[in-house]
């Protein structure tokens, strides 16, 4: 277990957060700092864990479709990638509290009035190629405006791992252009 704020600040190094930045953090980073790592003996144990974590299990063989925290997500959000074989990372507990507490602490540390925090997980839709993200929680803004297409600053933790990022200079718009990807999230301070 690590202190989430310290992990974020160490990752930022010399790149300080500025007014109206939005810090985007993967749910895995939050969950690992909470100690939400479990040992799984085999595939049956994994399926049992999925059933335990899910609010509803919808079925599937290779991919078990579930609902977790009101979100339609494979395997109840349980992640077995980028972790030692035989282990899995669960979704974080109380992600809205985590986002809110982290946002308040970082605002104080960096002396900011407006700072957003967004905790996300990768998400794939059935019958669609590719992966996008789903927000598990956010703090510091109201989720009502679209900020697609803005520059994202990723922080590399080695071996290609990029567990958090921030948006800078997001322009506000509420319009969705036909044929574009669905809104990622909406922002209003």
């Amino acid at each position: 277990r690590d202190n989430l704020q310290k992990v974020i600040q160490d990752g930022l190094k010399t790149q300080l957060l500025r007014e109206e930045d939005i810090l985007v953090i993967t749910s895995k980073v939050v969950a690992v700092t909470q100690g939400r790592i479990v040992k799984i003996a085999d595939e049956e144990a994994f399926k049992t864990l999925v059933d335990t974590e899910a609010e509803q299990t919808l079925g599937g063989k290779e991919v078990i479709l579930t609902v977790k925290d009101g979100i339609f997500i494979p395997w109840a959000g349980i992640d077995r990638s980028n972790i030692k074989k035989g282990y899995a990372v669960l979704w974080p507990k109380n992600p809205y509290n985590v986002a809110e507490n982290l946002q308040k602490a970082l605002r104080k540390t960096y002396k900011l009035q407006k700072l957003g925090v967004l905790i996300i997980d990768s998400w794939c839709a059935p019958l669609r190629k590719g992966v996008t993200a789903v927000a598990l929680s956010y703090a510091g803004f109201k989720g009502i405006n679209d900020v697609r297409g803005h520059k994202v600053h990723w922080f590399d933790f080695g071996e290609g791992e990029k567990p958090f990022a921030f948006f800078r200079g997001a322009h506000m718009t509420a319009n969705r252009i036909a044929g574009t990807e669905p809104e990622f999230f909406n922002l209003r301070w």
Side-chain angles (χ1 to χ4, degrees):
R1 285 187 166 188
D2 292 315
N3 176 290
L4 180 60
Q5 183 179 351
K6 182 175 177 355
V7 168
I8 298 298
Q9 287 181 264
D10 288 351
L12 287 169
K13 296 179 179 131
T14 60
Q15 182 67 49
L16 301 180
L17 292 172
R18 297 190 310 214
E19 204 64 49
E20 297 188 3
D21 280 352
I22 302 169
L23 181 66
V24 183
I25 310 164
T26 64
S27 62
K28 185 180 267 186
V29 169
V30 177
V32 168
T33 62
Q34 292 178 337
R36 304 266 301 146
I37 300 169
V38 295
K39 187 167 177 48
I40 47 174
D42 55 28
E43 203 59 30
E44 282 306 310
F46 177 70
K47 289 177 181 176
T48 300
L49 181 61
V50 169
D51 283 339
T52 301
E53 287 292 306
E55 293 163 12
Q56 184 178 8
T57 302
L58 305 171
K61 292 185 183 199
E62 297 297 318
V63 177
I64 303 170
L65 301 176
T66 65
V67 175
K68 169 78 176 173
D69 295 340
I71 299 171
F72 178 62
I73 187 107
W75 305 296
I78 300 168
D79 192 344
R80 294 188 288 181
S81 65
N82 303 312
I83 191 166
K84 188 177 174 183
K85 188 175 172 82
Y87 290 87
V89 180
L90 308 176
W91 265 4
K93 284 273 190 202
N94 304 312
Y96 276 96
N97 290 343
V98 171
E100 199 170 297
N101 291 336
L102 181 62
Q103 188 259 0
K104 286 177 183 173
L106 291 173
R107 277 185 54 219
K108 183 176 179 181
T109 298
Y110 292 101
K111 297 174 177 59
L112 302 172
Q113 294 297 309
K114 295 180 181 177
L115 174 70
V117 171
L118 182 63
I119 299 175
I120 64 164
D121 195 8
S122 56
W123 184 80
C124 51
L127 306 176
R128 290 204 55 175
K129 275 187 165 182
V131 177
T132 186
V134 62
L136 301 186
S137 66
Y138 57 89
F141 58 89
K142 297 175 187 172
I144 57 173
N145 281 342
D146 182 5
V147 295
R148 288 171 291 143
H150 300 286
K151 186 169 183 170
V152 177
H153 304 268
W154 286 101
F155 295 90
D156 196 340
F157 276 65
E159 300 181 28
E161 292 297 305
K162 293 175 176 42
F164 68 90
F166 66 88
F167 289 90
R168 180 164 286 150
H171 299 283
M172 305 301 171
T173 177
N175 297 326
R176 180 165 179 242
I177 301 167
T180 62
E181 288 298 310
E183 294 179 12
F184 176 63
F185 68 93
N186 296 312
L187 171 74
R188 172 132 323 127
W189 294 108

